[in-house]
Amino acid sequence: MKNLKLTGVLILSVVSNIFAQLPDPGFIIDAKTAIVITDPQNDFLSPDGVAWGVVGESVKANNTVANIESLFKIAKQKNMLVFVSPHYYYKHDHTWKFEGTLEVLMHSIKMFDRKNALSTDDFENSGADWLNNYKKYINENNVIVTSPHKVYGPESNDLSLQLRKQGINKVILAGMSANLCVESHMRELIEDGFEVSVVKDATAAAILPGLNGYEAALTNFRMISSHVFTTTEVVEQIKKL
């Protein structure tokens, strides 16, 4: 019996040690690396946005708005490609016959709404528009705006195609919202054969009673991606290109 107990203690010790030393594969930024930013839009990042009441605390705590801008800025300085994966809902999206929890919420508060895919009427400064801080960067030639994703991940847009067509195989991921679109993009891009890192303070998430989307995302960023950066770390690495 003593031997069994000792064996059990040793096994638990080994397992605990393994997880305490969770490997960090690392991420080397090179000429085949691009930045991907999800949903840099008013409804998430502006105090006037419809989601600010639940994401604002996390956005402010992480300095998310300024950190995303730092990524746009260094990418422009080094002529590094940035891919923006936006979130838009059109009239026909509001006729879906079934939806998940937050899809129902987003549609009910008219988050990311646009009149239709071919019209920019009432788009300027709407919740679906870019945060004003980012417009000067997104209009630059090093930024590619993909077709919109519709739920959380890029399965329904052309992000992977656009990355491949530009010869990109490594992605630095940031944007909104951490446990939804950012995490879903991370998972799908990894499944699609890209090497992915995440910038943990260039994102944020909803915080609700008993539910912290940002903390949930951090766990999965660490366990799934190749590396988790801070904005300062990734900017310093890009400067060396």
Side-chain angles (χ1 to χ4, degrees):
M1 182 63 73
K2 286 183 178 179
N3 288 339
L4 285 174
K5 287 182 178 179
L6 181 59
T7 301
V9 170
L10 287 171
I11 290 171
L12 286 172
S13 177
V14 170
V15 170
S16 297
N17 193 44
I18 288 171
F19 281 104
Q21 298 178 30
L22 197 64
D24 184 347
F27 188 95
I28 297 172
I29 300 171
D30 58 24
K32 292 189 175 182
T33 306
I35 296 170
V36 171
I37 297 178
T38 61
D39 303 351
Q41 296 163 263
N42 286 324
D43 272 340
F44 265 141
L45 293 169
S46 168
D48 296 325
V50 296
W52 186 257
V54 292
V55 303
E57 178 184 344
S58 183
V59 170
K60 290 186 288 186
N62 290 343
N63 200 28
T64 305
V65 170
N67 287 335
I68 291 174
E69 184 168 6
S70 293
L71 297 178
F72 276 123
K73 185 176 181 180
I74 191 63
K76 177 56 184 173
Q77 289 173 2
K78 304 301 289 188
N79 197 32
M80 184 179 194
L81 287 176
V82 178
F83 294 77
V84 175
S85 178
H87 208 145
Y88 299 137
Y89 286 130
Y90 309 126
K91 187 180 293 186
H92 58 263
D93 296 318
H94 286 273
T95 65
W96 290 353
K97 304 308 178 190
F98 61 93
E99 300 163 316
T101 302
L102 291 182
E103 291 172 79
V104 172
L105 176 62
M106 287 189 287
H107 285 165
S108 68
I109 61 178
K110 302 186 184 305
M111 193 169 183
F112 304 130
D113 269 10
R114 286 180 55 178
K115 286 198 170 178
N116 63 64
L118 301 178
S119 172
T120 56
D121 290 349
D122 301 324
F123 176 72
E124 186 76 18
N125 297 319
S126 70
D129 196 7
W130 315 128
L131 199 70
N132 277 327
N133 310 41
Y134 306 150
K135 289 183 178 182
K136 62 183 178 182
Y137 302 107
I138 294 174
N139 289 331
E140 294 286 352
N141 292 332
N142 68 308
V143 178
I144 295 167
V145 179
T146 72
S147 58
H149 58 273
K150 286 296 179 176
V151 185
Y152 307 119
E155 294 89 341
S156 60
N157 76 357
D158 64 342
L159 175 61
S160 288
L161 171 69
Q162 297 294 344
L163 288 166
R164 297 287 190 205
K165 289 292 189 180
Q166 295 292 340
I168 298 299
N169 57 33
K170 303 172 80 170
V171 166
I172 299 165
L173 185 59
M176 293 295 287
S177 165
N179 65 314
L180 300 173
C181 299
V182 178
E183 183 175 323
S184 294
H185 277 66
M186 174 188 71
R187 289 175 179 271
E188 176 61 17
L189 289 171
I190 289 171
E191 296 279 3
D192 207 19
F194 293 91
E195 185 177 349
V196 180
S197 63
V198 183
V199 188
K200 68 179 181 179
D201 55 359
T203 184
I207 298 175
L208 298 163
L211 299 171
N212 189 317
Y214 182 66
E215 292 295 334
L218 285 183
T219 297
N220 290 327
F221 293 163
R222 177 67 179 91
M223 297 181 77
I224 297 173
S225 72
S226 293
H227 186 66
V228 178
F229 286 107
T230 64
T231 300
T232 299
E233 290 168 347
V234 79
V235 167
E236 288 303 310
Q237 279 209 31
I238 295 172
K239 284 180 179 178
K240 298 174 184 176
L241 290 178

